[in-house]
Amino acid sequence: MSSSSDDDTLQADEQLYARLQQVAENPEQPKRIRMLAADALGSLHRARIEWEVFHDEKDNARRYRELLESIDLGIVIHDASGQVLYSNRAALHINHHPPCEESDSWRSPMNSLDWLAVDMQGIHLSRENYPANLALRTGKIQSGKVIGLYNIRKQVFRWIEITAIPYAAGSNDRPRQVLSILRDISEERRVYDMFERLQSLSETGCWDWDYASGECNLTPGALHILGLAQPPQSLDELLACFPQYETRRLARSIEKALNDQVPFTLELHRFDAFGEEQWVRLQGELDFLNPFTSRISGTLENISSSKQLEKSLRRKANTDPLTGLLNRDAIMEELEARLAGTLPKVALLYIDLDRFKEINDTLGHDYGDKLLQDVARRLVIATDDKAAMCARLGGDEFLVLCTAHESRAPQRLAEHLVELLSSPFQIGSETLHVSASIGIARTPKDGLDSATLMQKADAAMYESKRRGKNSWSAYDWELAKKQRRQVELDTLIRGAVQNQEIELLYQPILDVQSGQLVACEALLRWQSPILGTVATETLVAHAEASGEIVRIGGWALREACLQLRRWQNAGLPHVPVSVNVSFQQFLNENLLALVESALQAAELPGSALILELSERILVEKAPLTPQIIEHLRQMDVRLCIDDFGEQYSALNMLRQFPFQSLKLSRQFLHGVPDNPSDTALCRAISDIARNLGFTLIASGLETAAQLNFLKSLGTPQAQGFWYSPPLTADVFARQWLATDARPVPAG
């Protein structure tokens, strides 16, 4: 600005000073306007003091103008026609003008038409609606008006907050000038817009509450989360957005934050206006920016999505994916929770499907899976009104956890389930029949911990299977006694081999027509110092249940081969020895190596050994069954199906594997020749063996009538007490190997 305008500037400053003082001291003016006026007044006051110090009027004017230029706020003075009379350096900077020292060159850009203005919504703002023009026209202060200014020529945009103060000589006079105080809020707007965008994207908002005034403020993001159109007027209104049980938690946390200065984080449950479940994370702490007030501030976040995901993951983790029932972990967790609490007595129903494996193997896993799904649906229907929980433990095993208010309630439920599951299942075009074996254990008589209850329910279920399946059994003292005996036997069996309590007995196998000795079967006998003589069937059953059969069977195989070698070394005639191999032994990966080792140790050919296998090996078709049988055939080991027809009658499998003989079960021979059914079965099995080229061996021969019947059938071989009981190795050698043939009782 030129020096020729100093007088005008000083006069304008005097008027500006008076007007700012009037605004700053007027209590009726808004607080924000009074603060802006006070800031400007302070700067002018410092300029006046400086001006009074200097005596040179021109120098005083220059010094005063320099101090005025140092004000941070932009100051622009317009005359009554709207022309710019004065603009300080800050205003020029806000409007993106370089400082201008030459005469009036700064006025031109300020008054040019290079400007476009918009309001806060981005709508074009005409010049007559600029804050300064509105103040001139109305004579009223335009406070805190925000406009966007765009310089077309320089392509610069600014958001500016303007307070325009009109000045008139008298109260009734038309304003002669207007003072505009400018503040560049572009950066604030940018940060605010980014904050608003963050809230809209992250569903996060802020809130605060002033204890003294009761005023409660929420950002737009927080209002959106709570579904509010207007901010709550008080803390009570904010608390009303949540159900009462959550309101108490929130109120206690706010009180603790005020009194103990402890920050808090709460996850609050609520339902929105549409009845949808919502979870909100609300954080708060004491605001220390103003030490003279008690204000709580914090954030509000919608965490419904993460909660739903967490709920979904928890449900998946606790659910059996095939049936939708609870899984083992989930039902055990529920059982332990009930046992740890004060809930009523509970009962466990352990359910195992009968014949499921046959269906699964015959029709395939798709049918098996659909059957399990239908079983699960029936369980849910049966237990829906009984406060029971159903779970799938795995495979075809299920568990029902129910209350046991009445002593007979679990039994009635078990009876209902047995009946329900015995009804046919329609899977596609197939009508499938299964049944269920159920075991029941209950608190407190059967145990007070989950592991004990599960073990006893499982034991009761196996008792149901033993009794014939399609039934239920409750754990009782008889079953407990049997279990204790089983445990005792398991313990004794484990030490029987090391203590040389188990020995092999040998029973002769004879040619039915000639009575000549053709082979012998090695049978286990346990001479226990505690139990006395334990029958072979009892020993094998308990050894299979305990898993000791693999070790005992391996010893029996090796010992039988070594005994053949001893007899041969003693110059006795050679006869093959038949050794039983259990299903567990057959599945053991060391079976082939064990057979080969036993033969090599005894220096015997494979033809000296006959392995008796159960029908289960054929029906269950373990993956390695064909390979194992083929390797045994290549070793020249003969194979026999033991007790054929007793369990599975796997007729179709006989064609697939190179067996040499079938052993007729003693159960079928027992009623011969008086029982027509037994007689018919024996004839049928004899025909099957003859037509397929198998040697039939009858076991359990006890009477002359049975022997005559076997001769009439043309049965090749037999063994039993009619010929001889099982004998020790020495006795067998004396009675059956010392001569070429032993006389056979006449038939």
Side-chain angles (χ1 to χ4, degrees):
M1 290 180 289
S2 66
S3 58
S4 61
S5 62
D6 286 347
D7 294 339
D8 293 338
T9 301
L10 288 173
Q11 184 178 0
D13 290 345
E14 289 288 345
Q15 295 171 352
L16 171 62
Y17 186 89
R19 182 56 177 153
L20 287 174
Q21 187 172 23
Q22 180 182 5
V23 172
E25 295 176 354
N26 186 355
E28 296 181 0
Q29 293 292 342
K31 182 178 180 180
R32 186 174 184 80
I33 294 175
R34 287 187 280 119
M35 290 177 65
L36 286 171
D39 287 344
L41 187 62
S43 297
L44 288 174
H45 184 65
R46 288 192 299 273
R48 179 183 292 275
I49 293 173
E50 291 292 334
W51 180 79
E52 290 176 353
V53 171
F54 294 98
H55 298 288
D56 187 347
E57 182 176 339
K58 184 176 181 179
D59 188 58
N60 289 348
R62 181 185 60 78
R63 184 62 174 169
Y64 183 66
R65 185 173 64 252
E66 289 177 356
L67 292 174
L68 188 61
E69 290 295 317
S70 67
I71 297 175
D72 293 335
L73 297 171
I75 296 178
V76 177
I77 300 175
H78 294 81
D79 62 15
S81 65
Q83 294 297 309
V84 178
L85 296 177
Y86 171 76
S87 178
N88 71 347
R89 191 181 301 272
L92 291 174
H93 176 74
I94 290 171
N95 288 288
H96 208 69
H97 292 310
C100 301
E101 295 297 338
E102 60 276 8
S103 66
D104 291 335
S105 61
W106 61 273
R107 297 179 188 271
S108 177
M110 292 293 290
N111 292 321
S112 71
L113 298 177
D114 293 342
W115 300 93
L116 287 179
V118 295
D119 61 15
M120 291 185 68
Q121 285 71 43
I123 300 173
H124 174 69
L125 192 68
S126 62
R127 294 183 69 86
E128 56 267 21
N129 287 323
Y130 285 10
N133 292 334
L134 284 175
L136 286 170
R137 189 167 64 251
T138 63
K140 296 180 180 179
I141 296 175
Q142 304 297 311
S143 172
K145 301 296 182 181
V146 177
I147 67 172
L149 284 179
Y150 179 68
N151 190 300
I152 300 173
R153 184 166 57 85
K154 296 184 177 181
Q155 297 184 351
V156 175
F157 181 81
R158 289 284 188 271
W159 284 108
I160 301 176
E161 182 184 65
I162 302 174
T163 295
I165 306 171
Y167 172 72
S171 58
N172 296 322
D173 292 343
R174 186 174 179 274
R176 295 164 52 190
Q177 293 180 350
V178 61
L179 167 70
S180 296
I181 304 174
L182 284 57
R183 191 166 67 90
D184 188 344
I185 61 169
S186 300
E187 183 65 18
E188 293 179 21
R189 277 297 298 244
R190 186 180 68 81
V191 173
Y192 178 79
D193 289 343
M194 290 176 65
F195 179 69
E196 287 291 295
R197 178 63 58 87
L198 174 64
Q199 288 197 73
S200 65
L201 293 176
S202 64
E203 292 197 57
T204 303
C206 297
W207 68 281
D208 68 19
W209 171 68
D210 191 313
Y211 173 76
S213 65
E215 181 182 2
C216 195
N217 296 300
L218 274 73
T219 61
L223 293 175
H224 174 71
I225 291 172
L226 297 178
L228 300 176
Q230 299 294 330
Q233 298 300 309
S234 64
L235 180 63
D236 289 339
E237 287 188 20
L238 176 60
L239 295 176
C241 296
F242 300 94
Q244 189 173 10
Y245 60 89
E246 297 288 37
T247 297
R248 290 192 292 268
R249 293 178 60 213
L250 180 53
R252 285 196 299 267
S253 296
I254 290 176
E255 181 180 1
K256 190 172 183 64
L258 281 173
N259 297 334
D260 302 335
Q261 300 182 5
V262 177
F264 62 88
T265 299
L266 297 176
E267 292 185 354
L268 304 173
H269 181 249
R270 66 186 296 270
F271 292 90
D272 63 18
F274 302 100
E276 295 291 331
E277 187 179 39
Q278 186 184 48
W279 283 91
V280 173
R281 179 181 290 124
L282 190 144
Q283 296 177 304
E285 63 179 347
L286 198 61
D287 189 344
F288 294 101
L289 291 179
N290 187 344
F292 300 103
T293 63
S294 295
R295 179 179 294 273
I296 302 289
S297 63
T299 60
L300 194 68
E301 181 182 1
N302 187 351
I303 58 171
S304 300
S305 296
S306 61
K307 279 290 185 179
Q308 289 296 333
L309 177 60
E310 178 184 330
K311 185 177 180 181
S312 175
L313 293 175
R314 189 184 307 113
R315 184 168 56 250
K316 288 181 179 179
N318 292 335
T319 303
D320 172 58
L322 178 63
T323 63
L325 301 179
L326 295 176
N327 58 23
R328 176 185 288 271
D329 290 341
I331 197 69
M332 293 305 292
E333 183 178 343
E334 177 64 25
L335 173 60
E336 289 171 0
R338 294 195 184 192
L339 294 175
T342 57
L343 294 176
K345 297 177 181 179
V346 298
L348 288 185
L349 277 64
Y350 200 117
I351 304 167
D352 185 87
L353 300 182
D354 306 322
R355 297 187 62 250
F356 173 77
K357 182 168 180 56
E358 298 173 43
I359 293 173
N360 204 42
D361 290 344
T362 304
L363 298 178
H365 292 290
D366 286 344
Y367 277 88
D369 289 348
K370 290 175 181 177
L371 177 59
L372 292 174
Q373 290 169 345
D374 281 357
V375 168
R377 280 190 280 270
R378 292 191 186 185
L379 291 178
V380 171
I381 292 172
T383 58
D384 186 48
D385 59 345
K386 296 177 175 62
M389 303 180 75
C390 303
R392 180 183 176 219
L393 300 179
D396 60 345
E397 295 181 330
F398 297 84
L399 193 73
V400 174
L401 171 62
C402 62
T403 56
H405 297 289
E406 305 174 31
S407 60
R408 286 281 303 166
Q411 287 90 328
R412 286 196 297 270
L413 178 56
E415 290 169 358
H416 180 49
L417 291 176
V418 167
E419 180 182 1
L420 193 64
L421 295 177
S422 63
S423 300
F425 290 83
Q426 190 67 37
I427 310 294
S429 60
E430 299 286 342
T431 301
L432 306 180
H433 295 268
V434 296
S435 58
S437 297
I438 302 177
I440 304 173
R442 57 194 299 166
T443 60
K445 73 179 187 67
D446 298 329
L448 292 173
D449 64 273
S450 58
T452 301
L453 286 173
M454 282 287 289
Q455 182 266 325
K456 292 185 176 179
D458 187 27
M461 181 271 292
Y462 276 107
E463 181 66 14
S464 298
K465 284 190 177 295
R466 190 190 66 80
R467 291 178 181 177
K469 306 178 181 180
N470 194 30
S471 63
W472 62 269
S473 296
Y475 192 85
D476 55 21
W477 69 272
E478 284 288 350
L479 190 53
K481 181 179 178 182
K482 187 182 298 183
Q483 274 195 305
R484 283 195 296 272
R485 178 172 173 78
Q486 176 69 53
V487 172
E488 292 170 359
L489 281 172
D490 290 347
T491 303
L492 294 174
I493 285 173
R494 287 188 178 93
V497 175
Q498 292 91 331
N499 299 333
Q500 298 182 344
E501 298 171 11
I502 295 178
E503 63 177 336
L504 287 182
L505 302 181
Y506 298 89
Q507 189 173 41
I509 301 174
L510 276 66
D511 182 282
V512 172
Q513 303 300 331
S514 66
Q516 294 294 318
L517 178 69
V518 294
C520 64
E521 181 180 0
L523 299 170
L524 292 165
R525 183 177 70 173
W526 182 15
Q527 194 67 37
S528 171
I530 297 176
L531 303 174
T533 302
V534 180
T536 300
E537 294 80 4
T538 302
L539 171 60
V540 171
H542 284 292
E544 286 183 338
S546 65
E548 285 292 303
I549 192 64
V550 174
R551 191 161 63 93
I552 294 175
W555 170 84
L557 179 63
R558 187 178 183 87
E559 176 61 25
C561 291
L562 290 174
Q563 186 58 56
L564 285 187
R565 171 47 54 196
R566 295 187 195 106
W567 286 334
Q568 290 186 23
N569 291 343
L572 297 174
H574 166 73
V575 291
V577 63
S578 180
V579 180
N580 285 277
V581 174
S582 73
F583 182 69
Q584 292 182 42
Q585 281 180 275
F586 187 81
L587 294 182
N588 191 288
E589 60 185 13
N590 295 323
L591 176 64
L592 292 174
L594 186 64
V595 171
E596 186 174 1
S597 173
L599 291 172
Q600 289 179 353
E603 299 179 351
L604 296 174
S607 58
L609 183 62
I610 303 170
L611 297 183
E612 296 190 17
L613 310 176
S614 71
E615 287 180 288
R616 185 179 177 189
I617 292 172
L618 300 180
V619 176
E620 300 207 7
K621 292 186 297 183
L624 295 179
T625 296
Q627 294 93 317
I628 294 174
I629 291 177
E630 178 60 24
H631 276 88
L632 291 172
R633 188 192 68 79
Q634 292 176 4
M635 294 167 64
D636 206 22
V637 174
R638 285 181 283 178
L639 302 176
C640 175
I641 297 299
D642 191 20
D643 294 329
F644 180 76
E646 184 176 300
Q647 296 183 6
Y648 298 100
S649 300
L651 299 178
N652 185 50
M653 300 300 170
L654 293 178
R655 300 179 302 152
Q656 300 180 22
F657 300 110
F659 296 103
Q660 284 81 29
S661 55
L662 302 179
K663 184 167 281 191
L664 179 66
S665 172
R666 68 183 63 229
Q667 292 185 9
F668 301 146
L669 191 60
H670 179 71
V672 170
D674 299 326
N675 188 306
S677 298
D678 288 346
T679 301
L681 284 171
C682 288
R683 290 185 184 279
I685 294 173
S686 177
D687 290 341
I688 290 171
R690 184 181 304 109
N691 292 331
L692 292 178
F694 294 112
T695 299
L696 184 65
I697 305 170
S699 63
L701 176 61
E702 296 179 353
T703 67
Q706 292 172 345
L707 177 61
N708 291 332
F709 175 76
L710 293 177
K711 286 182 176 181
S712 68
L713 287 181
T715 305
Q717 299 175 13
Q719 69 183 94
F721 276 78
W722 176 255
Y723 292 138
S724 170
L727 305 171
T728 63
D730 291 342
V731 174
F732 182 84
R734 287 197 304 271
Q735 294 186 8
W736 292 95
L737 298 179
T739 58
D740 291 339
R742 174 183 167 81
V744 179

